[in-house]
Amino acid sequence: MSLLIFVFEDGIMKSIYYQYTNFLQMDKKLRQLNSRLQIHYHQTIINPQWTVISMLSRFVFFRNLFKKISRKPELNHYDLNKSVFQEIDVDQVVNSLNKYGCYLGIKLPKNISWKIMKFALSTDCYGNLDSKCGFSYSQKKQAEEKNKAPFSIATYFNVDVLCPVIKRLSDDPAIRMIAAKYMKTEPIFTDARLWWTFAVDETNYDAGKTAGFFHYDQDDYSCLRFFFYLTDVDLQSGPHICILGSHTKKKITQIISLTQRTDQEVLDYYNHEDILTIGGEAGSGFIEDPYCFHKATRPILKDRLVLQLRFATRDYGVLKSSVDPLLLKNIFTHNEVIKYFDVA
């Protein structure tokens, strides 16, 4: 195969370069749009109502309207004395969420953080969200060799059922009261997610699977997420980034677009001081309105383990980390079964 090099006048060369660049950008956006439409199609099949909500809830007007007409929560049945977060000021948290869309300062007790980590180290996680690629974290290297490619991420399925400590957190009175006061209605726990983001080089990092681009999530008209680091997180281990105030402040193109916005497009619109990079030691956490622009960053030196608890006004069944246990396969035993049948 030969390579032909053509030399053009400077102006012509630049014109061709810009046209080619524009073509690549347009192709990328079309592929992103196609992917989003496929996702919306499958989610519409699961629950058509969620598709309507996911479109209308992009607008602050509809979210505020829903809060006004929703049934107000009964706060007196939340006994804060039974919460594991004894030092948290619920009203301070809610005020911060209303203003910034994010709150830092919630922290797991060490014994609870330790129990969740123990669960994670003794339970199969699933590489790149594939239910047939289960492995123990201690077997990550061997699992990648079996997979013949590194994993960017690995998630645990059904954790709110399998891990009593996580279930207890989802029912914690302080967490429930924060969600109720912020959402202005009775919160429904919809999902718990526990996942690793692995330290890989840039060529093996899948930003699509790890949400490594700025985005916001339309869980419901009113919703809230609680995050807890189970490993120490610094700049080398994939800190979460949130843009403060972006839950209520967006350009119209950012509201209606079905394609990913580039980092530069997002960052050009907000002040530098609004960009919050969140690190912390194991057990530290934060609370976020998912309508804030946010993203995961690529771990460079250390793997990151995160727990997320998700609340909304209703469980639409489309954003779940639960899988039929019969469909979950360990990558080693699964491959051996396939090999056996191939030989037979």
Side-chain angles (χ1 to χ4, degrees), residues 137-163:
Y137 178 72
S138 62
Q139 297 176 306
K140 172 177 171 285
K141 184 176 180 180
Q142 298 94 311
E144 289 177 329
E145 290 174 354
K146 278 275 188 181
N147 188 54
K148 298 181 180 179
F151 294 117
S152 295
I153 189 173
T155 193
Y156 296 86
F157 294 115
N158 308 320
V159 294
D160 52 327
V161 175
L162 298 176
C163 183

Side-chain angles (χ1 to χ4, degrees), residues 76-87:
N76 56 5
H77 65 266
Y78 296 119
D79 186 356
L80 295 182
N81 291 321
K82 296 180 179 179
S83 171
V84 301
F85 306 101
Q86 284 297 306
E87 298 180 2

Side-chain angles (χ1 to χ4, degrees), residues 29 36 54-55 57-60 63 214-218 243-271 290-294:
K29 286 188 178 295
R36 288 294 293 272
S54 71
M55 300 304 293
S57 64
R58 293 167 176 263
F59 300 91
V60 175
R63 300 207 301 273
F214 277 115
H215 65 286
Y216 61 93
D217 299 290
Q218 307 100 264
I243 299 183
L244 301 177
S246 59
H247 61 313
T248 58
K249 179 187 175 185
K250 291 185 181 73
K251 292 192 300 183
I252 187 64
T253 53
Q254 296 170 339
I255 293 173
I256 65 176
S257 174
L258 290 179
T259 59
Q260 296 173 12
R261 315 310 298 178
T262 66
D263 283 7
Q264 198 59 51
E265 285 178 283
V266 174
L267 297 176
D268 283 347
Y269 184 66
Y270 298 96
N271 296 323
Y291 283 95
C292 277
F293 270 119
H294 58 278

Side-chain angles (χ1 to χ4, degrees), residues 161-176:
V161 175
L162 298 176
C163 183
V165 180
I166 293 177
K167 174 60 178 173
R168 178 185 173 190
L169 286 176
S170 71
D171 292 327
D172 185 89
I175 284 181
R176 292 274 181 162

Side-chain angles (χ1 to χ4, degrees), residues 110-133:
K110 288 186 177 180
N111 66 316
I112 290 181
S113 180
W114 179 83
K115 287 178 181 179
I116 299 174
M117 176 57 81
K118 183 180 179 182
F119 167 82
L121 296 179
S122 60
T123 307
D124 277 359
C125 55
Y126 294 82
N128 289 349
L129 314 181
D130 187 340
S131 61
K132 297 181 179 62
C133 286

Side-chain angles (χ1 to χ4, degrees), residues 41 97 127 143 181 202 277 338:
Y41 171 74
L97 289 169
K181 281 196 168 187
E202 194 167 359
T277 300
I338 291 177

